[in-house]
Coordinates of all heavy atoms in Angstrom, one line a residue:
F22 N 5.1 -11.3 -3.8 CA 4.2 -10.6 -2.9 C 4.8 -9.3 -2.4 O 4.1 -8.3 -2.0 CB 3.7 -11.5 -1.7 CG 2.8 -12.5 -2.2 CD1 3.2 -13.9 -2.3 CD2 1.4 -12.3 -2.4 CE1 2.3 -14.9 -2.7 CE2 0.6 -13.3 -2.8 CZ 1.0 -14.6 -2.9
V23 N 6.1 -9.2 -2.2 CA 6.7 -8.0 -1.7 C 6.6 -6.8 -2.6 O 6.9 -5.7 -2.2 CB 8.2 -8.3 -1.3 CG1 9.1 -8.3 -2.6 CG2 8.7 -7.3 -0.3
F24 N 6.1 -7.1 -3.8 CA 5.9 -6.0 -4.8 C 5.1 -4.9 -4.1 O 5.4 -3.7 -4.3 CB 5.1 -6.5 -6.0 CG 4.7 -5.4 -7.0 CD1 5.5 -5.1 -8.1 CD2 3.5 -4.8 -6.8 CE1 5.0 -4.1 -9.0 CE2 3.0 -3.8 -7.7 CZ 3.9 -3.4 -8.8
D25 N 4.0 -5.2 -3.4 CA 3.2 -4.2 -2.8 C 4.0 -3.3 -1.9 O 3.8 -2.1 -1.9 CB 2.1 -4.9 -1.9 CG 0.8 -5.2 -2.7 OD1 0.7 -4.8 -3.8 OD2 0.0 -6.0 -2.2
N26 N 4.8 -3.9 -1.1 CA 5.6 -3.1 -0.1 C 6.6 -2.2 -0.8 O 6.9 -1.1 -0.4 CB 6.2 -4.0 0.9 CG 6.6 -3.3 2.2 OD1 7.7 -3.0 2.4 ND2 5.6 -3.2 3.1
Q27 N 7.3 -2.8 -1.8 CA 8.2 -2.0 -2.6 C 7.6 -0.8 -3.2 O 8.1 0.3 -3.2 CB 8.9 -2.9 -3.6 CG 9.8 -4.0 -3.1 CD 10.3 -4.9 -4.1 OE1 9.6 -5.2 -5.1 NE2 11.4 -5.5 -3.9
M28 N 6.4 -1.0 -3.7 CA 5.6 0.1 -4.4 C 5.3 1.2 -3.4 O 5.5 2.4 -3.7 CB 4.4 -0.4 -5.0 CG 3.6 0.5 -5.9 SD 2.2 -0.3 -6.7 CE 1.7 1.1 -7.7
L29 N 5.0 0.9 -2.2 CA 4.7 1.9 -1.2 C 6.0 2.6 -0.8 O 6.0 3.8 -0.6 CB 4.1 1.3 0.1 CG 2.6 1.2 0.1 CD1 2.1 0.6 1.4 CD2 1.9 2.6 -0.1
A30 N 7.1 1.9 -0.6 CA 8.4 2.5 -0.3 C 8.8 3.5 -1.4 O 9.3 4.6 -1.1 CB 9.5 1.4 -0.1
Q31 N 8.6 3.1 -2.6 CA 8.9 4.0 -3.7 C 8.0 5.3 -3.7 O 8.5 6.4 -4.0 CB 8.7 3.3 -5.1 CG 9.7 2.2 -5.3 CD 9.3 1.3 -6.5 OE1 8.1 1.1 -6.8 NE2 10.3 0.7 -7.1
T32 N 6.7 5.1 -3.4 CA 5.8 6.2 -3.3 C 6.2 7.2 -2.2 O 6.2 8.4 -2.4 CB 4.4 5.7 -3.0 OG1 4.0 4.7 -4.0 CG2 3.4 6.8 -2.9
I33 N 6.6 6.7 -1.1 CA 7.1 7.6 0.0 C 8.4 8.2 -0.4 O 8.6 9.4 -0.1 CB 7.3 6.7 1.3 CG1 5.9 6.2 1.8 CG2 8.0 7.6 2.4 CD1 6.0 5.2 2.9
Y34 N 9.3 7.5 -1.0 CA 10.6 8.0 -1.4 C 10.5 9.2 -2.3 O 11.2 10.2 -2.2 CB 11.5 6.9 -2.0 CG 12.9 7.3 -2.3 CD1 13.9 7.2 -1.3 CD2 13.3 7.8 -3.6 CE1 15.2 7.6 -1.5 CE2 14.6 8.2 -3.8 CZ 15.5 8.1 -2.8 OH 16.9 8.5 -3.0
Q35 N 9.5 9.1 -3.2 CA 9.3 10.2 -4.2 C 8.4 11.3 -3.7 O 8.2 12.3 -4.4 CB 8.7 9.6 -5.5 CG 9.7 8.7 -6.3 CD 9.3 8.5 -7.7 OE1 8.5 9.3 -8.3 NE2 9.9 7.5 -8.4
G36 N 8.0 11.2 -2.4 CA 7.3 12.3 -1.8 C 5.8 12.4 -2.2 O 5.2 13.5 -2.0
F37 N 5.2 11.4 -2.7 CA 3.8 11.4 -3.0 C 2.9 11.4 -1.7 O 3.4 10.8 -0.7 CB 3.4 10.3 -3.9 CG 3.9 10.5 -5.4 CD1 4.9 9.7 -5.9 CD2 3.3 11.5 -6.2 CE1 5.3 9.8 -7.2 CE2 3.8 11.6 -7.5 CZ 4.8 10.8 -8.0
R38 N 1.8 12.0 -1.8 CA 0.9 12.0 -0.6 C 0.0 10.8 -0.5 O -0.7 10.4 -1.5 CB 0.0 13.3 -0.7 CG 0.8 14.6 -0.8 CD -0.1 15.7 -1.3 NE -0.6 15.4 -2.6 CZ -1.6 16.0 -3.2 NH1 -2.3 17.0 -2.6 NH2 -2.0 15.7 -4.5
I39 N 0.1 10.1 0.6 CA -0.7 8.9 0.8 C -1.8 9.1 1.9 O -1.5 9.5 3.0 CB 0.2 7.7 1.3 CG1 1.4 7.5 0.3 CG2 -0.5 6.4 1.5 CD1 2.4 6.5 0.8
G40 N -3.0 8.8 1.5 CA -4.1 8.8 2.4 C -4.6 7.4 2.8 O -4.3 6.4 2.1
E41 N -5.3 7.3 3.9 CA -5.8 6.0 4.4 C -7.2 6.2 4.8 O -7.7 7.2 5.3 CB -5.0 5.5 5.6 CG -3.5 5.1 5.3 CD -2.9 4.5 6.6 OE1 -2.4 5.3 7.4 OE2 -2.8 3.3 6.7
L42 N -8.0 5.1 4.7 CA -9.3 5.0 5.3 C -9.5 3.6 5.8 O -8.8 2.7 5.5 CB -10.4 5.4 4.3 CG -10.4 4.7 2.9 CD1 -11.0 3.3 3.0 CD2 -11.3 5.5 2.0
S43 N -10.4 3.5 6.8 CA -10.7 2.3 7.5 C -11.5 1.3 6.6 O -12.4 1.7 5.9 CB -11.4 2.5 8.8 OG -11.7 1.3 9.4
C44 N -11.1 0.0 6.6 CA -11.7 -0.9 5.7 C -12.0 -2.2 6.5 O -11.0 -2.8 7.0 CB -10.8 -1.2 4.5 SG -11.4 -2.5 3.4
P45 N -13.2 -2.7 6.5 CA -13.5 -4.0 7.1 C -12.9 -5.1 6.1 O -12.7 -4.9 4.9 CB -15.0 -4.1 7.1 CG -15.4 -3.2 6.0 CD -14.4 -2.1 5.9
T46 N -12.6 -6.2 6.7 CA -12.0 -7.3 5.9 C -12.7 -8.6 6.2 O -13.2 -8.8 7.3 CB -10.5 -7.4 6.0 OG1 -10.0 -8.3 5.1 CG2 -10.1 -7.8 7.4
R47 N -12.6 -9.6 5.3 CA -13.2 -10.9 5.5 C -12.2 -12.0 5.3 O -11.4 -11.9 4.3 CB -14.4 -11.1 4.5 CG -15.4 -10.0 4.4 CD -16.4 -10.4 3.3 NE -17.4 -9.3 3.1 CZ -17.2 -8.4 2.1 NH1 -16.1 -8.5 1.3 NH2 -18.1 -7.5 1.9
Y48 N -12.1 -12.9 6.2 CA -11.2 -14.1 6.0 C -12.1 -15.3 6.0 O -12.9 -15.6 6.9 CB -10.2 -14.2 7.2 CG -9.1 -13.2 7.0 CD1 -9.2 -11.9 7.4 CD2 -7.8 -13.6 6.5 CE1 -8.1 -11.0 7.3 CE2 -6.8 -12.8 6.3 CZ -6.9 -11.5 6.7 OH -5.9 -10.6 6.6
F49 N -12.1 -16.0 4.9 CA -12.9 -17.2 4.7 C -12.2 -18.1 3.7 O -11.2 -17.7 3.1 CB -14.3 -16.8 4.2 CG -14.3 -16.0 2.9 CD1 -14.5 -16.6 1.7 CD2 -14.2 -14.6 3.0 CE1 -14.5 -15.8 0.5 CE2 -14.2 -13.8 1.8 CZ -14.3 -14.5 0.6

């Protein structure tokens, strides 16, 4: 599962631009 976090760290390390938007979520 840590793959996701490693991928973001690599993205930041290489200087790529990251955007965010708000997302509702469901837990069921």
Side-chain angles (χ1 to χ4, degrees):
F22 289 103
V23 77
F24 174 94
D25 272 350
N26 203 260
Q27 292 174 331
M28 190 174 182
L29 271 183
Q31 291 166 333
T32 303
I33 295 168
Y34 188 85
Q35 292 198 16
F37 287 110
R38 302 162 298 167
I39 303 173
E41 293 184 279
L42 52 74
S43 180
C44 176
T46 186
R47 312 177 184 94
Y48 283 81
F49 54 97

